Amino acid sequence: MDYTEEGSFNHVQIIVFAVFTLFFAFTGLIWTIELGFNGQYTLASLFGGHFAKTKKIKIYDKHSKSLGKLAMSSHV
């Protein structure tokens, strides 16, 4: 963009882009916190599971009814 004639960079495009960026960052933070409280997002998942030998996953049917948990282990 050329700002030589304007003297300011507060254009409508930049303001709209900043508002959308702030919105997406805020909703992403809320989503991450919500996943953490629901138990679907743990510290072990942050590190790719390198510290956990077994992983537990929740299994749901097509009506979102919980069918239980399944423990899976990886062998190196």
Side-chain angles (χ1 to χ4, degrees):
M1 295 179 141
D2 187 12
Y3 300 115
T4 57
E5 297 175 8
E6 293 292 325
S8 174
F9 60 89
N10 293 325
H11 294 283
V12 175
Q13 291 173 324
I14 293 176
I15 294 171
V16 169
F17 183 76
V19 168
F20 277 113
T21 302
L22 184 63
F23 172 76
F24 288 133
F26 186 65
T27 56
L29 178 66
I30 291 172
W31 189 23
T32 302
I33 292 170
E34 180 182 346
L35 287 174
F37 281 128
N38 289 338
Q40 298 176 4
Y41 189 70
T42 61
L43 286 177
S45 66
L46 282 175
F47 300 106
H50 295 294
F51 300 115
K53 300 209 184 242
T54 61
K55 290 193 174 213
K56 294 180 182 178
I57 58 172
K58 296 178 184 177
I59 301 174
Y60 298 95
D61 66 0
K62 64 181 180 179
H63 302 291
S64 298
K65 181 181 175 187
S66 178
L67 298 175
K69 294 180 182 178
L70 177 66
M72 302 181 72
S73 62
S74 60
H75 298 286
V76 179

